[in-house]
Amino acid sequence: MAEPTADHATEALPAFRDAGGGVNPLFLAAIEILLEEGDAARLAMLAGELHEADVADLLAALTPDERVAYVRLMGEGFDFATLTEVDESIRLQILKALSPAVAARGVGALESDDAVYILEDLDEDEKQAILERLPISARVRLVRSLDYPEESAGRRMQTEFVAVPGFWTVGQTIDEIRDDENLPEDFYEIFVVDPIFHLIGTVPLDRLLRAGRNTRIADVMRENQYTVRATEDQEDVAQLFKRYNLISVAVVDDSDRLVGVLTIDDIVDVIEQEAEEDIRALAGVGDEEMSDSVFYAARSRFPWLFVNMFTAFLSASVIAIFDDTIAHMVALAVLMPIVASLGGNSGTQAMTVTVRALATREIGRRNALKVLGREMTVALINGAIMALIVGAVASLWFTNHEVGVVIAAALVANVLTAGFVGVVIPLGLNAAGIDPAVASGVLLTAITDMVGFSAFLGLSTWWFGLV
Amino acid sequence: MAEPTADHATEALPAFRDAGGGVNPLFLAAIEILLEEGDAARLAMLAGELHEADVADLLAALTPDERVAYVRLMGEGFDFATLTEVDESIRLQILKALSPAVAARGVGALESDDAVYILEDLDEDEKQAILERLPISARVRLVRSLDYPEESAGRRMQTEFVAVPGFWTVGQTIDEIRDDENLPEDFYEIFVVDPIFHLIGTVPLDRLLRAGRNTRIADVMRENQYTVRATEDQEDVAQLFKRYNLISVAVVDDSDRLVGVLTIDDIVDVIEQEAEEDIRALAGVGDEEMSDSVFYAARSRFPWLFVNMFTAFLSASVIAIFDDTIAHMVALAVLMPIVASLGGNSGTQAMTVTVRALATREIGRRNALKVLGREMTVALINGAIMALIVGAVASLWFTNHEVGVVIAAALVANVLTAGFVGVVIPLGLNAAGIDPAVASGVLLTAITDMVGFSAFLGLSTWWFGLV
């Protein structure tokens, strides 16, 4: 295929995405040529109409230098909301390359939740440099949001919303909305407040539209709305949205005064992030992103490998206790990983089910014992079946049915242990306030390895009267 | 604490949830007593105002018989939308216990998406028994949705929506909405269609409210809206919602005619379900739910354990090749699980990152090689560090520095292999149209075990000139 030229690029307008849903290499090449030539007009023609999420994917596909060149060349045409859609490392790289004045202009044009999202990960002095260039009203609002704890509702909320008194009519409210210049970009409900901004109800827009113009707002509002405190953790807020299928929810401060609104599109990111965190934690992968450097990735993964090294040596020292037994009967060394591996895998199954049940609040003090009983029964069933198969195969392999009996017994013992610790470890960690997904995996395989090796080798030593 | 009586229950009204967010045992006990006494009035008083999501949690906490008793006793007060919030096994159990007439009355009162969700998992004859008791118009609508493939947009969409011609004015539209009795329960945008129902634009409700009454709808509508085809897979639809932060999206048929609308609250469930499927698949756990029987759970987990048994014997036979080597030097049997385990864990890290990057479309043909290079570099860095530590400890432990050199070399080889297959297996499975999360884990540990054992034992055999 011929290398696309800039002319070709802007005239034939290659599609942004290829068949696989990724950034079209042709489009990417055209952008790179325009960046090199510094052709702002054609760049705007080619990329100006893209959705911010598409621009985010485009930035991720460019080199660091090209990203900055892109933002500079687009100038006022670059929507800083794009930066809420890219990986943190890309966001920081771009922001650090821009002057505080340019960054302040871009951030100042955003809604408060997007502005906070962009500012929160910056170093304190960079954050200040941008904040002090903003108009006082915007600055005060952003600083107040930034004062809330990380990953709280206050950090994620939007401080632009529509609030009216209950004695207004529907018609008055609609007229007010028509005239108001400072409305949020998108909104799905309006809030009803008393004179000191205590929330007394909400009116979804479809209800507002269905009501007659002369109806009082207080007569159409929902009074039993869900609200969240600004200090609440985003994960708890996400649970609320999921449980009650909410689209937006009012955020109140400690005096129950309305301070902001959270909408589902922010919460979707949180929901995905929390599931993602569980997946990564279970595999011992930290918060790395595709765009992070290899050194960052290697360092973030090392702690788990380090702990794993420690537990692997522990397991090895369990084996070392029985080295004379192994010297007398090498078949045991051949078979022992089977016991450890099957224990580890059935334990991982029980643990995963428990970790997810904790995450979705399906498990609590009320039914913990029932879940444990369930997992032990599953372990007993599958452990017994595996013991039969593994025992039979081992007997035939080494033409020694006693080996088969011993490995079957050790396997049942290890799988039962695995089922037990697979439930108890996550529950215990959770009760102790530790994220069960993070530490469960390491602890579990350490235990199933050690129990597996010692059960099989110990039982063999006793049974065969070795040593 | 005294056993709560029915009187106590309805007068003191225990809170529905306890401090941990689970169902309050006191509340549960009160409900159970009312069910036993068949006290419909008090049951309605205690549970009648609960949100359907709360009733769903309540049903999950009751015994199967109590669940049916609850639905019967609540009568018309039982909202069948509750059944969209419970596990599949609970939903089927309740529906099978109710007469088709009662089920038809309950399903008939629902919006189309909830009705389809409830009907789709029933056996064909049960489904027909309910459908034939519905009014013809509802039946036709539901059958059309049920004709779309499982997990498609057509199955999840709501067929109730507001559609108006573009020449209408904003005022005319609002008046029409005020008068229309058949509006969907909640809606966030109205659709603009031509006479044969081709979608030509959308108007979010906040835009409708902001516009003057005399403005033409065609002048306020968004023309570049995203749409999905009814046959599209729900996972792809979820990607669209996530990528572009959508709240609702129009669903069109093969002739581009508007047939329904998908809203974010349905998609949130899909997003969570897809992440959940990845977590479970990586751990070898199937689609079991907390409320499934132990036998179902055991059976759904067995296939992975069976494959794991097979691969464990494969690894064992690799060890068996070197049984003479082990007989000469038992230290090798002590150390060999370390090499296998660390390889398995670093491979799992690489694999998890790749599986998730595939799920979020961050990886494609364009950057596959780059990702592979990245993972190999991470493997080289962490493999080298681990090799140094493990080599040193092994040397000291067995006061034999040659053992240290051999294990270090084997470890680097295995961790590099792990990094390679951790990327290549999921990419290969994905290209072959197989869910990478399902099969990657088994394949990966099989390879890292075999490579780990053979590298360490083979290298030792050669180095020490054994056998």
Side-chain angles (χ1 to χ4, degrees):
Chain A
M1 195 179 293
E3 180 88 330
T5 65
D7 268 337
H8 169 85
T10 48
E11 276 150 27
L13 284 180
F16 176 65
R17 292 190 184 276
D18 60 18
V23 175
N24 182 354
L26 268 180
F27 188 96
L28 189 61
I31 291 284
E32 285 177 323
I33 291 169
L34 292 174
L35 289 176
E36 207 172 301
E37 296 178 347
D39 190 338
R42 279 194 165 134
L43 183 67
M45 218 190 301
L46 187 57
E49 295 294 306
L50 288 180
H51 187 282
E52 63 206 43
D54 294 330
V55 178
D57 286 353
L58 175 63
L59 289 178
L62 293 172
T63 67
D65 286 345
E66 288 171 342
R67 288 172 199 149
V68 178
Y70 180 90
V71 175
R72 291 220 173 99
L73 207 52
M74 287 297 281
E76 306 245 354
F78 179 77
D79 182 351
F80 270 58
T82 307
L83 296 182
T84 64
E85 306 278 346
V86 296
D87 285 353
E88 182 184 336
S89 58
I90 297 179
R91 180 164 58 248
L92 293 179
Q93 182 243 318
I94 293 175
L95 285 171
K96 281 171 201 290
L98 299 176
S99 73
V102 170
R105 199 191 57 209
V107 169
L110 296 179
E111 306 225 289
S112 58
D113 54 341
D114 287 342
V116 168
Y117 192 88
I118 288 177
L119 289 174
E120 65 182 356
D121 296 321
L122 286 173
D123 298 333
E124 203 48 48
D125 52 335
E126 295 162 337
K127 202 189 301 179
Q128 289 311 328
I130 295 177
L131 280 171
E132 68 194 18
R133 283 171 174 81
L134 291 175
I136 178 82
S137 66
R139 196 192 318 158
V140 168
R141 248 192 1 235
L142 294 182
V143 167
R144 198 172 57 174
S145 281
L146 286 165
D147 275 346
Y148 287 112
E150 263 185 64
E151 311 213 321
S152 67
R155 282 283 182 97
R156 293 283 77 80
M157 73 187 181
Q158 193 176 328
T159 52
E160 298 86 4
F161 50 80
V162 182
V164 298
F167 58 80
W168 278 24
T169 63
V170 168
Q172 204 175 353
T173 306
I174 294 181
D175 293 343
E176 177 71 19
I177 290 175
R178 285 202 183 117
D179 294 338
D180 192 340
E181 305 275 303
N182 293 316
L183 288 181
E185 241 175 75
D186 305 296
F187 60 101
Y188 311 102
E189 55 186 0
I190 61 168
F191 300 105
V192 189
V193 291
D194 72 8
I196 55 165
F197 259 70
H198 282 147
L199 181 70
I200 50 179
T202 58
V203 188
L205 295 192
D206 56 343
R207 268 202 197 207
L208 192 66
L209 280 169
R210 280 180 238 217
R213 275 187 70 85
N214 297 324
T215 321
R216 276 176 65 242
I217 285 290
D219 296 329
V220 288
M221 73 182 182
R222 267 189 206 157
E223 284 176 85
N224 288 322
Q225 73 284 348
Y226 299 95
T227 58
V228 299
R229 287 207 180 280
T231 48
E232 226 167 297
D233 187 80
Q234 61 178 13
E235 194 173 354
D236 296 326
V237 177
Q239 284 294 333
L240 190 78
F241 268 86
K242 272 191 296 184
R243 182 180 283 156
Y244 300 118
N245 295 327
L246 305 175
I247 295 294
S248 76
V249 82
V251 183
V252 296
D253 67 10
D254 288 336
S255 332
D256 278 324
R257 263 191 292 256
L258 183 64
V259 290
V261 57
L262 275 167
T263 49
I264 181 72
D265 52 315
D266 304 314
I267 296 303
V268 164
D269 297 338
V270 174
I271 291 172
E272 237 207 336
Q273 197 179 321
E274 300 293 342
E276 188 76 26
E277 274 175 22
D278 268 8
I279 299 182
R280 287 158 173 273
L282 286 168
V285 183
D287 62 351
E288 63 173 88
E289 295 172 322
M290 266 291 163
S291 51
D292 285 325
S293 72
V294 277
F295 297 102
Y296 185 89
R299 211 181 48 199
S300 87
R301 294 188 207 173
F302 192 74
W304 201 67
L305 294 175
F306 188 80
V307 175
N308 188 230
M309 260 193 287
F310 180 76
T311 62
F313 272 110
L314 271 186
S315 307
S317 55
V318 168
I319 303 173
I321 300 173
F322 302 100
D323 54 354
D324 287 341
T325 306
I326 293 173
H328 282 99
M329 201 169 167
V330 176
L332 301 180
V334 172
L335 293 172
M336 64 184 190
I338 298 178
V339 181
S341 163
L342 289 174
N345 282 315
S346 24
T348 301
Q349 294 179 331
M351 183 190 75
T352 304
V353 170
T354 309
V355 165
R356 289 308 295 169
L358 279 169
T360 56
R361 314 288 197 267
E362 274 183 280
I363 188 173
R365 210 163 283 184
R366 185 177 54 76
N367 59 349
L369 268 181
K370 198 171 134 197
V371 172
L372 182 61
R374 180 176 184 271
E375 287 302 326
M376 296 297 287
T377 316
V378 171
L380 193 63
I381 297 171
N382 282 345
I385 300 174
M386 285 192 287
L388 278 176
I389 302 174
V390 170
V393 174
S395 301
L396 292 173
W397 187 358
F398 293 96
T399 52
N400 179 342
H401 72 271
E402 289 179 277
V403 165
V405 171
V406 170
I407 199 172
L411 192 54
V412 169
N414 200 26
V415 170
L416 278 177
T417 308
F420 181 78
V421 298
V423 175
V424 169
I425 292 176
L427 285 181
L429 290 173
N430 188 58
I434 302 169
D435 179 357
V438 173
S440 293
V442 208
L443 279 172
L444 177 91
T445 46
I447 292 173
T448 52
D449 275 0
M450 282 188 284
V451 170
F453 292 138
S454 58
F456 180 54
L457 296 175
L459 219 55
S460 300
T461 307
W462 168 74
W463 182 278
F464 297 109
L466 297 170
V467 186
Chain B
M1 195 177 295
E3 180 89 330
T5 65
D7 269 336
H8 170 85
T10 48
E11 276 149 26
L13 284 180
F16 176 65
R17 292 191 183 274
D18 61 17
V23 176
N24 183 353
L26 269 180
F27 189 95
L28 190 61
I31 292 284
E32 285 177 323
I33 290 168
L34 293 174
L35 289 176
E36 209 172 302
E37 297 178 347
D39 191 337
R42 280 194 165 132
L43 183 68
M45 218 191 300
L46 187 57
E49 295 294 306
L50 288 179
H51 188 282
E52 62 205 44
D54 293 330
V55 178
D57 285 353
L58 176 62
L59 289 178
L62 293 173
T63 66
D65 287 344
E66 288 171 343
R67 287 173 201 150
V68 178
Y70 179 91
V71 175
R72 291 221 173 98
L73 207 52
M74 288 297 281
E76 306 244 355
F78 180 77
D79 182 352
F80 270 58
T82 307
L83 296 181
T84 65
E85 305 278 345
V86 296
D87 284 354
E88 182 183 337
S89 59
I90 297 180
R91 180 164 59 248
L92 293 180
Q93 182 243 319
I94 293 176
L95 286 171
K96 281 171 201 291
L98 299 177
S99 72
V102 171
R105 199 191 58 209
V107 169
L110 296 178
E111 306 224 289
S112 58
D113 54 341
D114 288 341
V116 167
Y117 192 86
I118 288 177
L119 290 174
E120 65 182 356
D121 296 321
L122 286 173
D123 298 333
E124 202 49 46
D125 52 335
E126 295 162 337
K127 202 188 300 176
Q128 288 311 327
I130 295 177
L131 281 173
E132 68 194 20
R133 283 171 174 82
L134 291 175
I136 178 82
S137 67
R139 195 191 318 158
V140 168
R141 250 195 355 240
L142 295 182
V143 168
R144 198 173 57 174
S145 280
L146 286 165
D147 275 347
Y148 287 113
E150 264 185 63
E151 311 213 321
S152 68
R155 282 283 183 99
R156 293 282 79 80
M157 73 186 180
Q158 195 177 326
T159 52
E160 297 86 6
F161 50 79
V162 182
V164 299
F167 57 79
W168 279 24
T169 64
V170 167
Q172 202 175 353
T173 306
I174 294 181
D175 294 342
E176 176 72 19
I177 291 175
R178 285 201 184 118
D179 295 336
D180 193 340
E181 305 276 302
N182 293 317
L183 287 180
E185 242 176 73
D186 305 295
F187 60 100
Y188 312 101
E189 55 185 0
I190 61 169
F191 300 105
V192 189
V193 291
D194 71 10
I196 54 165
F197 258 70
H198 282 145
L199 181 72
I200 51 180
T202 59
V203 188
L205 295 191
D206 58 341
R207 269 204 196 204
L208 192 66
L209 280 169
R210 280 180 238 215
R213 275 187 70 85
N214 297 325
T215 322
R216 276 175 67 244
I217 286 290
D219 295 331
V220 289
M221 73 182 183
R222 267 188 207 158
E223 285 175 84
N224 288 322
Q225 72 283 351
Y226 299 95
T227 57
V228 298
R229 286 206 180 280
T231 47
E232 226 167 297
D233 188 79
Q234 60 178 12
E235 195 175 351
D236 296 328
V237 177
Q239 284 294 333
L240 190 78
F241 268 86
K242 273 191 296 185
R243 182 182 283 156
Y244 299 118
N245 296 327
L246 305 176
I247 296 294
S248 76
V249 81
V251 183
V252 295
D253 66 10
D254 287 337
S255 333
D256 278 325
R257 266 192 288 256
L258 182 64
V259 289
V261 56
L262 275 167
T263 49
I264 181 74
D265 51 317
D266 305 313
I267 297 303
V268 164
D269 298 337
V270 174
I271 292 171
E272 237 206 337
Q273 196 180 321
E274 300 292 342
E276 188 76 28
E277 275 175 21
D278 268 8
I279 298 182
R280 287 159 174 271
L282 285 168
V285 182
D287 62 352
E288 63 172 88
E289 295 174 321
M290 267 291 163
S291 51
D292 285 325
S293 72
V294 276
F295 297 102
Y296 185 89
R299 210 181 50 198
S300 89
R301 293 188 206 172
F302 193 74
W304 201 67
L305 294 175
F306 188 80
V307 175
N308 188 231
M309 259 193 286
F310 179 77
T311 61
F313 272 109
L314 271 186
S315 307
S317 54
V318 168
I319 302 173
I321 300 172
F322 302 100
D323 55 354
D324 287 341
T325 306
I326 294 174
H328 281 99
M329 200 168 169
V330 176
L332 301 181
V334 172
L335 292 172
M336 65 183 187
I338 298 178
V339 181
S341 163
L342 289 174
N345 282 315
S346 25
T348 301
Q349 294 179 331
M351 184 189 74
T352 303
V353 169
T354 309
V355 165
R356 288 309 294 171
L358 279 168
T360 56
R361 315 287 197 269
E362 273 183 282
I363 188 173
R365 209 164 283 185
R366 186 177 54 77
N367 59 350
L369 268 180
K370 199 171 135 197
V371 172
L372 182 62
R374 179 174 185 270
E375 287 302 326
M376 296 296 288
T377 316
V378 171
L380 192 64
I381 296 171
N382 282 346
I385 300 174
M386 286 192 286
L388 278 176
I389 301 175
V390 170
V393 174
S395 302
L396 291 172
W397 186 358
F398 294 95
T399 53
N400 179 342
H401 71 270
E402 287 179 279
V403 165
V405 172
V406 171
I407 198 172
L411 192 54
V412 169
N414 200 26
V415 170
L416 278 177
T417 309
F420 181 77
V421 296
V423 175
V424 169
I425 292 176
L427 285 181
L429 290 173
N430 188 57
I434 301 169
D435 180 356
V438 173
S440 294
V442 208
L443 279 172
L444 177 90
T445 47
I447 292 173
T448 53
D449 275 2
M450 283 188 283
V451 171
F453 292 138
S454 59
F456 181 52
L457 297 175
L459 220 54
S460 300
T461 307
W462 168 74
W463 182 279
F464 297 110
L466 297 170
V467 187

